[in-house]
């Protein structure tokens, strides 16, 4: 019996190729999209989950802002960890990590610049699940020791034994580190990427200023805690928030579960830009929507198609088949079809995954290893298959044999309504997705068009690292020489130096809380940001002054307490006439500073964030040491790529003559600024892709349903034509029902889409308006999709010779 | 007595009117009979066959099949009964297009839960008997109308029913083919199978042992 059913199912699939292809392709696309999204979401949710990760927390700082505490800094003081551990017996381990963005290692001839390292307490290994595969942990308690990942060790030393070997670090001091351990490479699904660890005591032998001494003033350390299993974590968190070891009413310590960081944390000074929960949720929702759309599609097509099999059902019933047997047969067929679709989907997902990985910059794998992620969803897919197969099965098995054999099976009114409802749901989802896509892309282009208050075009930042021992002041002097050398190049319009620049994020920015305003009032709660730049920085970057002017350059070594502030800051201090603040004094860091100018607000952090109060002061004095970013503004000739290459060559030559032993990196400022929205742009593109898919699937469904409707109304169409109806009138007739459906779906979908997208926009400090035309466009698009998929077949039916369709009756 | 219909009424409501499809119909059929039902289109021939075949119900009257009251039976028992004792032959053959000749004949056996080996033997018997062994792997579309009807009859017979109901079995065939089929029916009848056929043709009706005339759902005794 099963073999008989299987055979007939196969033959049926092959006989009705168009139907089978529509169905299998629709399902496969839906399932493939779902699988890929599931992998992505699973990966995003897998961050920092390891053996014992439930007991690991990160400590962070809350800052008081307007009477409330808000997350202020992902990093803490070097006293935070040890103090908390001492005070709270629930905490059994703590580790401090001082993050090193980039370190240049030298092994003989080999010079390798490596990102993602840390100075770390040895207790790192008691908290994180990265055991040494070689070496002895006790050696890591000594200064000037380092632990490498397998890959980095191989890069530096090849296949040789590396334990006990030493490495030189170029930081200007020629320090050598002994390799005391090797760990396996650390997977990328962690918020804190690590390629090497340098022992914490090394800090004392390096020139790290304040950081090396225990203090409550410099919070530059990531601190992680391990608590005893089974303790009341909420109570501990409360106790930590209530504690006040640093005795500062404007700050408090707080903790968060390590596995929550990637999707929930977006604090200043994070180790990396974290993921976004809302994006993950959006994508999950889209994944489910697409899958459900493709099932609805299947139900529709299968039910419509089942009408053609009424004869077979009649014969089987007459031959003695029971209803349950026919249901089993029908279910079996949908299972078979779904199996094909799943196989095709897995193949598709497998082929498309590398592309998708490339696109989102992840390392998703589809394989046996992560079956755990997929498995519950496979069960879900199976369940969906069963449910979606059940409706057509019930319909088909319910035919009365006499009517079925006479070919007089007409869909019941209820059945037609159900199928219309399904199409309605499909279009509802499609309209929501179209509006979503439009809003996302509108927001992204809105961000691109926003005036930044700064001109980043043709600006390149040169950042190098010296490979020779030089003292700071000589480096500073040389950098000034470089500035003037570069400005003599014909294509260079301006050169300046700065500690950081717009789009550089928090990496090289300082923040401070506590300032006394010119009128003598102090604000101990305001968080503000500051960095150093050459006086001509504003001119080179096109930042305008609203009042006053930039600070003057003073001789090296002479105190320069002149600073400029942004408009936001001046307004916070209570000034509406910007010129009034010029020449006034403010106090912070126990020094008195004079405001020489107010510059127009510019976006330092991109448009996701508000403009924050900000100071800029002289890089030659308090705000910078060593070699900083050299910013070069070039003329428009650089718009041609080949010219740009030549220009960069010349810049490099100048650099090499002044800093012969050094590395050099270029960054184009406009590109880097845009990169802040990279994730949003990708999200937008993913959104578009999946929306396209959803539209395609909905179109397939409508296409299938039309072919069925036309089949049913063939005679009617014939009679109407004989009675004189034009092709256009027939087309209108066939389209009318579906267009009514699309209209209703649109009316229901628009407010929901509006609500959801409004929520999404809240992520941005600067939002595009939700224009009426977005909704109109989505409506028109849905109409077009409907008309095209219906008319595909309707035209054929409308121009067919009526004699034919009437003769068959 | 194979079956017995007493005062059968069957009607549908059209608009406000009750339209009778069968009106006060009585019929007794003995085992081994070959009955032809004649009458113009719409006289109720097919309806009567469907009622006898238990594919269709009726509103009033009683129906006894092998002394069991069909009208009082539940759907499930009824289908058990006709699965066991009745085979159907249709004007339009009604073969399943996606199945081969062999598989088409096998279908009723599948629903009777007969073991594979026995099924093979039974189907082979049928193929032999109708001389279509060579065609067993062909699909219905590859056969002529007469051949298709042979398969239809083979399928009706394979489960060894007591009664064959044939609704215009030669309606779609030319006269030669039609004669062959009728000849076959006659042989089957001689072997003991009870046959009730609906037909338009006097010639075909003549093959039967008696003829029942229908007009507007009642027996026409003229």
């Amino acid at each position: 019996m099963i073999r008989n059913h299987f055979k007939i199912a196969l033959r049926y699939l092959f006989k009705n190729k168009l139907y089978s292809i529509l169905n299998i392709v629709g399902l496969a696309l839906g399932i493939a999209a779902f699988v890929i999204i599931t992998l992505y979401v699973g990966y995003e949710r897998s961050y920092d989950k390891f053996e014992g990760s439930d007991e690991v927390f990160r400590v962070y700082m809350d800052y008081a802002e307007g009477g409330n505490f808000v997350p202020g800094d992902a990093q803490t003081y070097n006293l935070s960890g040890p103090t908390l551990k001492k005070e709270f017996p629930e905490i059994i381990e703590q580790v401090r990590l001082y993050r090193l963005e980039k370190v240049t290692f030298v092994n003989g001839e080999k010079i390798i610049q490596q990102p993602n390292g840390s100075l770390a307490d040895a207790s790192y290994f008691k908290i994180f699940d990265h055991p040494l595969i070689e070496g002895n942990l006790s050696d890591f308690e000594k200064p000037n020791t380092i632990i490498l990942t397998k890959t980095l060790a191989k890069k530096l030393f090849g296949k040789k034994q590396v334990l006990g070997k030493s490495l030189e670090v170029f930081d200007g001091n020629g320090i050598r580190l002994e390799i005391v351990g090797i760990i396996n490479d650390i997977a990328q699904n962690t918020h804190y990427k690590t390629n090497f660890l340098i022992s914490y005591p090394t800090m004392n032998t390096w020139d790290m200023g304040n950081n090396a001494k225990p203090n409550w003033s410099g919070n530059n350390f990531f601190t992680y805690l391990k608590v005893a299993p089974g303790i009341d974590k909420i109570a501990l968190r409360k106790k930590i928030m209530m504690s006040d070891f640093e005795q500062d009413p404007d700050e408090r310590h707080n903790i968060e579960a390590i596995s929550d960081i990637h999707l929930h944390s977006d604090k200043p000074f994070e180790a990396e830009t974290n993921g976004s929960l809302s994006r993950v949720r959006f994508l999950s929702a889209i994944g489910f929507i697409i899958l459900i759309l493709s099932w609805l599609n299947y139900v529709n097509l299968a039910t419509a198609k089942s009408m053609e099999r009424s004869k077979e059902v009649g014969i089987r019933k007459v031959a003695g088949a029971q209803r349950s047997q026919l249901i089993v047969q029908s279910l079996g067929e949908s299972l078979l079809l779904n199996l094909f679709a799943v196989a095709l989907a897995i193949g598709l997902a497998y082929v498309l995954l590398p592309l998708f990985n490339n696109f989102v910059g992840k390392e998703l794998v589809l394989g046996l290893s992560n079956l755990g992620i997929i498995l519950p969803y496979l069960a879900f897919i199976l369940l969906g298959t069963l449910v979606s197969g059940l409706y057509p099965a019930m319909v088909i098995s319910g035919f009365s044999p006499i009517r079925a054999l006479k070919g007089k099976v007409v869909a019941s009114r209820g059945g037609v309504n159900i199928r219309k409802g399904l199409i309605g749901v499909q279009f509802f989802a499609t309209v929501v997705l179209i509006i979503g896509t439009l809003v996302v892309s509108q927001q992204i282009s809105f961000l691109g068009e926003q005036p930044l208050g700064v001109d980043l075009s043709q600006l390149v930042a040169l950042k190098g690292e010296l490979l020779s021992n030089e003292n700071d002041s000589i480096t500073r002097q040389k950098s000034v020489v470089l500035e003037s050398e570069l400005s003599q190049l014909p294509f260079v319009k301006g050169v300046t130096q700065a500690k950081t620049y717009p789009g550089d994020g928090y990496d090289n920015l300082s923040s401070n809380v506590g300032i006394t305003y010119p009128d003598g009032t102090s604000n101990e709660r305001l968080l503000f940001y500051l960095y150093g730049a050459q006086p001509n920085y504003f001119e080179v970057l096109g930042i305008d002054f609203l009042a006053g002017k930039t600070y003057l350059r003073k001789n090296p070594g002479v105190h320069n307490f002149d600073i400029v502030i942004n408009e936001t800051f001046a307004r916070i201090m209570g000034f509406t006439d910007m010129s009034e603040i010029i020449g006034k004094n403010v106090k912070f860091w126990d020094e008195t500073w004079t405001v020489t100018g107010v510059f127009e607000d510019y976006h330092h952090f991109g448009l996701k964030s508000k403009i924050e109060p900000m100071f800029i002061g002289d890089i030659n004095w308090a705000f910078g040491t060593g070699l900083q970013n050299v910013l070069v503004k070039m003329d428009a000739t650089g718009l041609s790529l080949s010219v740009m290459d030549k220009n960069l060559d010349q810049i490099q030559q100048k650099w090499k003559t002044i800093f012969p032993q050094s590395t050099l990196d270029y960054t184009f400022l406009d590109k880097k600024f845009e990169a802040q929205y990279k994730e949003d742009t990708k999200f937008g593109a993913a959104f578009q892709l999946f929306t396209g898919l959803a539209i395609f699937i909905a179109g397939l469904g409508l296409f299938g349903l039309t072919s069925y409707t036309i089949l049913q109304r063939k005679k009617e169409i014939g009679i109407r034509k004989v009675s004189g109806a034009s092709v256009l009138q027939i087309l209108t007739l066939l389209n009318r029902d579906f267009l009514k459906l699309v209209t209703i779906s649109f009316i229901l979908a628009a407010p929901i889409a509006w609500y959801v997208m409004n929520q999404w926009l809240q992520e941005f400090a600067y939002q595009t308006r939700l224009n009426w035309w977005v909704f109109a466009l989505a409506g028109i698009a849905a109409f077009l999709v409907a008309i095209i998929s219906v008319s595909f077949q309707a035209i054929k039916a409308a121009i067919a010779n009526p004699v034919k369709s009437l003769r068959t009756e | 007595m194979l079956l017995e219909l007493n005062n059968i009424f069957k009607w549908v409501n059209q608009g406000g009117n009750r339209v009778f499809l069968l009106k006060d119909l009585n019929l007794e059929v003995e085992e081994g009979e070959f009955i032809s039902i004649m009458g113009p289109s719409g006289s109720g021939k097919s309806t009567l066959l469907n009622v006898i075949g238990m594919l269709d119900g009726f509103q009033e009257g009683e129906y006894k099949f092998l002394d069991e009251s069909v009208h009082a039976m539940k759907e499930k028992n009824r289908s058990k009964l006709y699965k066991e004792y009745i085979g159907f032959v249709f004007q339009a053959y009604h073969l399943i297009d996606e199945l081969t000749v062999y598989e088409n004949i096998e279908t009723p056996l599948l629903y009777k839960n007969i073991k594979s080996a026995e099924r093979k033997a039974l189907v082979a018997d049928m193929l032999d008997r109708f001389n279509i062994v060579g065609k067993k792997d062909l699909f219905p579309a590859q056969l002529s109308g007469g051949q298709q009807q042979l398969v239809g009859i083979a399928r009706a017979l394979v489960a060894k029913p007591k009664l064959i109901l044939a609704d215009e079995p030669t309606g779609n065939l030319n006269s030669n083919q039609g004669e062959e089929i009728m000849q076959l029916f006659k042989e089957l009848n001689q072997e003991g199978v009870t046959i009730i056929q609906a037909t338009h043709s006097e010639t075909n009706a003549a093959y039967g042992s008696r003829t029942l005339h229908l007009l507007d759902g009642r027996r026409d005794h003229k």
Side-chain angles (χ1 to χ4, degrees), chain B:
Chain B
M1 182 94 57
L2 180 65
L3 65 92
E4 184 180 352
L5 296 175
N6 292 322
N7 311 99
I8 298 289
F9 286 85
K10 181 173 174 63
W11 65 77
V12 289
N13 291 320
Q14 249 172 29
N17 302 326
R18 184 170 283 185
V19 177
F20 284 90
L21 303 175
L22 298 175
K23 205 168 183 181
D24 196 17
L25 204 99
N26 295 289
L27 176 65
E28 291 179 4
V29 179
E30 297 289 343
E31 274 191 56
E33 279 199 87
F34 187 166
I35 300 176
S36 303
I37 304 173
M38 289 199 73
S41 290
S43 59
K45 299 189 297 289
S46 296
T47 312
L48 180 56
L49 280 182
N50 286 338
V51 166
I52 295 173
M54 301 171 210
L55 296 176
D56 212 350
F58 47 90
Q59 273 85 8
E60 274 176 28
E62 49 173 37
Y63 174 14
K64 283 187 179 158
F65 190 93
L66 290 172
D67 289 330
E68 289 194 69
S69 297
V70 175
H71 53 273
M73 261 181 214
K74 282 192 174 153
E75 162 76 35
K76 212 171 179 184
N77 296 329
R78 210 181 299 157
S79 84
K80 220 189 235 164
L81 200 63
Y82 81 67
K83 213 197 288 190
E84 189 70 33
Y85 297 111
I86 304 176
F88 294 86
V89 176
F90 303 95
Q91 175 178 358
Y93 332 127
H94 287 331
L95 303 178
I96 299 178
D97 298 334
E98 283 78 19
L99 297 182
T100 62
V101 166
Y102 183 96
E103 290 157 351
N104 263 294
I105 297 175
E106 189 187 23
T107 308
L109 300 179
L110 292 173
Y111 294 116
K112 289 182 85 170
N113 296 324
I114 292 173
K115 293 246 155 50
S116 164
E118 199 185 340
R119 284 204 310 262
K120 253 184 207 159
L122 285 170
V123 176
D125 278 354
M126 284 296 134
L127 290 169
D128 252 358
R129 146 139 224 195
F130 294 120
N131 278 324
I132 43 177
V133 179
K135 306 215 158 28
K136 73 178 168 63
D137 292 325
L138 298 182
F139 287 91
Q142 294 165 295
L143 302 176
S144 73
Q147 288 167 335
Q148 287 192 47
Q149 193 58 299
L150 275 184
V151 176
I153 294 170
R155 183 182 59 191
L157 276 179
V158 71
K160 307 217 179 303
K162 278 187 179 315
L163 172 66
I164 294 258
L165 297 173
D167 194 353
E168 305 245 14
T170 61
N172 286 11
L173 301 176
N174 63 33
S175 56
N176 271 343
Q177 291 170 329
E179 210 184 308
E180 266 174 55
I181 296 294
M182 291 320 297
Q183 205 56 48
L184 182 61
F185 274 9
K186 202 172 163 185
E187 281 167 33
L188 289 172
N189 181 241
Q190 279 160 3
E191 287 164 25
V193 180
T194 314
I195 295 172
I196 305 176
Q197 67 161 339
T199 180
H200 276 298
S201 134
E202 294 280 355
T203 331
N204 287 349
Y207 282 89
S209 47
R210 65 174 161 128
T211 303
L212 184 79
H213 290 275
L214 280 186
L215 186 65
D216 298 334
R218 351 160 147 242
R219 295 211 26 193
D220 187 5
H221 292 289
K222 275 172 285 175

Side-chain angles (χ1 to χ4, degrees), chain A residues 172 466 468-476 626:
Chain A
L466 300 187
S468 55
N469 290 336
E470 255 175 12
N471 84 29
D472 230 38
S473 61
I474 295 176
T475 309
R476 296 282 329 130

Side-chain angles (χ1 to χ4, degrees), chain A residues 3-134:
Chain A
R3 230 186 39 185
N4 179 290
H5 287 169
F6 183 72
K7 239 182 325 201
I8 198 166
L10 271 185
R11 287 186 195 150
Y12 195 77
L13 285 180
F14 280 105
K15 198 176 151 198
N16 297 279
K17 288 199 187 64
L18 178 69
Y19 163 78
S20 307
I21 288 170
L22 282 186
N23 232 334
I24 292 175
V25 168
L27 273 171
L29 284 176
I31 295 171
F34 181 76
V35 166
I36 287 180
I37 289 176
T38 303
L39 284 175
Y40 173 77
V41 169
Y43 185 85
E44 286 290 290
R45 291 193 186 281
S46 74
Y47 269 61
D48 296 305
K49 295 213 167 101
F50 51 87
E51 185 79 41
S53 64
D54 284 351
E55 272 89 44
V56 178
F57 292 83
R58 181 172 78 175
V59 186
Y60 65 92
M61 303 305 300
D62 281 333
Y63 291 157
E65 222 178 79
N68 292 317
F69 278 108
V70 295
D73 199 326
Q75 304 183 22
T76 52
Y77 303 97
N78 53 13
L79 272 173
S80 302
T83 310
L84 289 172
K85 188 187 167 199
K86 202 172 72 199
E87 295 295 325
F88 299 107
E90 297 97 316
I91 299 169
I92 53 178
E93 243 1 295
Q94 69 85 26
V95 63
R96 291 163 295 177
L97 297 170
Y98 182 87
R99 192 166 174 74
L100 303 161
E101 285 305 326
K102 250 180 213 170
V103 170
T104 308
F105 292 110
V106 178
N107 175 35
E109 294 290 290
K110 231 179 239 170
I111 300 174
I112 288 178
Q113 204 178 47
Q114 194 64 25
N116 299 330
S118 298
L119 287 149
D121 286 315
S123 51
Y124 179 90
F125 296 95
K126 292 183 183 152
I127 294 177
F128 296 105
D129 190 23
H130 307 306
L132 287 183
I133 51 173
E134 276 179 60

Side-chain angles (χ1 to χ4, degrees), chain A residues 352-411:
Chain A
L352 295 179
L353 204 57
L355 292 176
F356 186 75
N357 273 340
N358 212 352
F359 176 67
V360 293
K362 304 276 174 193
E363 40 175 34
L364 311 180
V365 205
L366 180 61
L368 291 174
S369 59
N370 57 1
L371 212 59
I373 300 177
I374 306 275
L375 216 54
Y377 294 100
L378 272 185
F380 177 72
I381 289 173
L382 207 69
L383 188 77
T385 302
L386 222 58
V387 171
S388 62
L390 210 55
Y391 179 70
M394 296 309 287
V395 170
I396 198 169
S397 62
F399 295 149
S400 126
I402 303 175
R403 296 175 73 85
L405 286 176
K406 278 188 188 149
K408 278 200 179 148
V409 171
V410 189

Side-chain angles (χ1 to χ4, degrees), chain A residues 426-482:
Chain A
Q426 285 191 319
F427 268 86
F428 171 82
T430 308
V431 170
V432 173
L433 287 178
I434 295 176
I435 293 175
T437 311
L438 289 174
V439 172
V440 170
S441 60
Q442 208 192 351
Q443 171 68 12
I444 287 164
S445 65
F446 170 82
L447 293 180
E449 287 159 9
Q450 258 332 77
L452 301 176
V454 58
D455 180 11
L456 300 178
S457 62
Q458 301 295 313
L459 254 175
V460 66
L462 312 178
K463 177 84 179 170
E465 229 174 307
L466 300 187
L467 305 181
S468 55
N469 290 336
E470 255 175 12
N471 84 29
D472 230 38
S473 61
I474 295 176
T475 309
R476 296 282 329 130
Q477 273 172 25
K478 277 188 169 180
S479 73
V480 175
V481 174
L482 177 68

